[in-house]
């Protein structure tokens, strides 16, 4: 897939944003050789499998009237960010949003911080912590398949004002039903969007953006 053509077709990118996206390949190759945050067999697919996957959240936002613009000026927690996904690609795309990238594994946050600093992302703060130890509340929580929804939702319950945008694959029907029943979420408050409707690659078959509305 031509990641640049895909992004330029859907988002208004500045030259600075394009340069930042272009820099990700070299930065992650360099850091991944020191601290493994991307599978070594997958490092050649950093755009196809990681950057574009992260930005599927942004593409989903365009399908909901007003939500893209709301997210663009919001505060966002990326929980379980690892080396910075989905937070860093989203922070490049949304320079007016404020991101906290959180992971409990310290060596992973070293990579996320180094990449954010190299790119000059002043809208990114990286913290080595668990969700329950974060004192603040955010407009949105984003994350990429760090746990089952049944485990993940309690970690962020009470941490968000507007919603959760979660990247997850596989059969999530039972997980969603359990979360909705256990936490008494109203019908119609959880939405799924297939990433394959945007990215025509077998890798994305079955992968979803799951949106929990507040």
């Amino acid at each position: 897939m031509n990641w640049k053509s895909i992004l330029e077709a859907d988002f208004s990118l500045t030259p600075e944003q394009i340069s930042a996206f272009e820099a990700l390949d070299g930065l992650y190759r360099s850091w991944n050789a020191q601290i493994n945050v991307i599978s070594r067999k997958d490092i050649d697919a950093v755009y196809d499998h990681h950057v574009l996957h992260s930005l599927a959240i942004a593409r989903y936002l365009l399908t909901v009237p007003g939500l893209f613009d709301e997210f663009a000026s919001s505060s966002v927690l990326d929980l379980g960010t690892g080396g910075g996904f989905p937070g860093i690609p989203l922070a490049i795309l949304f320079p007016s949003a404020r991101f906290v990238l959180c992971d409990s594994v310290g060596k992973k946050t070293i990579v996320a911080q180094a990449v954010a600093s190299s790119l000059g992302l002043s809208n990114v703060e990286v913290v080595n912590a668990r969700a329950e130890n974060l004192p603040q509340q955010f407009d949105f929580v984003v994350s990429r398949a760090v746990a089952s929804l049944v485990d993940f939702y309690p970690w962020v319950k009470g941490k968000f004002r507007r919603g959760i945008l979660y990247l997850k694959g596989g059969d999530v029907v039972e997980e969603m039903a359990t979360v909705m029943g256990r936490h008494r979420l109203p019908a119609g408050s959880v939405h799924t969007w297939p990433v394959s409707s945007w990215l025509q690659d077998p890798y994305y078959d079955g992968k979803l953006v799951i949106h929990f509305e507040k």
Side-chain angles (χ1 to χ4, degrees), residues 3-4 13-25 27 47 92 119:
W3 66 268
K4 192 182 300 185
L13 300 180
T14 65
E16 292 77 17
Q17 287 172 312
I18 292 172
S19 294
F21 282 124
E22 288 175 338
L24 290 176
D25 181 72
L27 287 168
Y47 291 105
I92 295 172
L119 296 174

Side-chain angles (χ1 to χ4, degrees), residues 38 45 59 76 121 127 144 155 159 174 198 200:
I38 296 173
R59 184 61 183 83
V76 183
L121 295 178
V127 296
R144 188 168 73 143
W155 296 346
K159 296 288 185 187
E174 186 175 340
W198 181 47
Q200 308 302 313

Side-chain angles (χ1 to χ4, degrees), residues 192-207:
T192 61
W193 181 78
V195 178
S196 60
S197 68
W198 181 47
L199 300 173
Q200 308 302 313
D201 183 323
Y203 176 80
Y204 289 105
D205 291 348
K207 289 183 167 57

Side-chain angles (χ1 to χ4, degrees), residues 171-184:
D171 185 359
V172 298
V173 173
E174 186 175 340
E175 290 180 32
M176 288 171 56
T178 299
V179 170
M180 293 180 73
R182 190 171 293 175
H183 299 279
R184 299 181 180 179

Side-chain angles (χ1 to χ4, degrees), residues 119-134:
L119 296 174
L121 295 178
S122 59
N123 61 334
V124 169
E125 177 187 357
V126 180
V127 296
N128 175 206
R130 294 186 177 276
E132 56 268 30
N133 295 328
L134 294 175

Side-chain angles (χ1 to χ4, degrees), residues 77-98:
L77 169 65
D78 174 10
L79 184 62
T81 190
F85 297 106
I88 284 178
L90 290 170
I92 295 172
L93 188 64
F94 295 101
S96 295
R98 300 165 306 286

Side-chain angles (χ1 to χ4, degrees), residues 44-180:
D44 289 335
V46 68
Y47 291 105
D48 289 353
H49 294 174
H50 300 278
V51 175
L52 288 175
H53 193 198
S54 299
L55 294 176
I57 288 174
R59 184 61 183 83
Y60 164 74
L61 294 173
L62 287 173
T63 71
V64 183
L67 196 57
F68 186 93
D69 290 338
E70 181 181 347
F71 189 91
S73 59
S74 64
S75 60
V76 183
L77 169 65
D78 174 10
L79 184 62
T81 190
F85 297 106
I88 284 178
L90 290 170
I92 295 172
L93 188 64
F94 295 101
S96 295
R98 300 165 306 286
F99 290 83
V100 171
L101 277 54
C102 177
D103 203 286
S104 61
V105 181
K107 66 180 182 179
K108 293 182 179 181
T109 61
I110 291 172
V111 178
Q113 182 63 69
V115 173
S117 297
S118 294
L119 296 174
L121 295 178
S122 59
N123 61 334
V124 169
E125 177 187 357
V126 180
V127 296
N128 175 206
R130 294 186 177 276
E132 56 268 30
N133 295 328
L134 294 175
Q136 68 267 53
Q137 195 177 49
F138 302 84
D139 295 318
F140 292 93
V141 173
V142 300
S143 191
R144 188 168 73 143
V146 297
S148 75
L149 291 169
V150 175
D151 293 329
F152 182 80
Y153 192 88
W155 296 346
V156 297
K157 185 180 180 182
K159 296 288 185 187
F160 63 96
R161 289 181 285 265
R162 290 290 292 114
I164 299 170
L165 296 154
Y166 196 71
L167 294 165
K168 186 96 163 59
D171 185 359
V172 298
V173 173
E174 186 175 340
E175 290 180 32
M176 288 171 56
T178 299
V179 170
M180 293 180 73

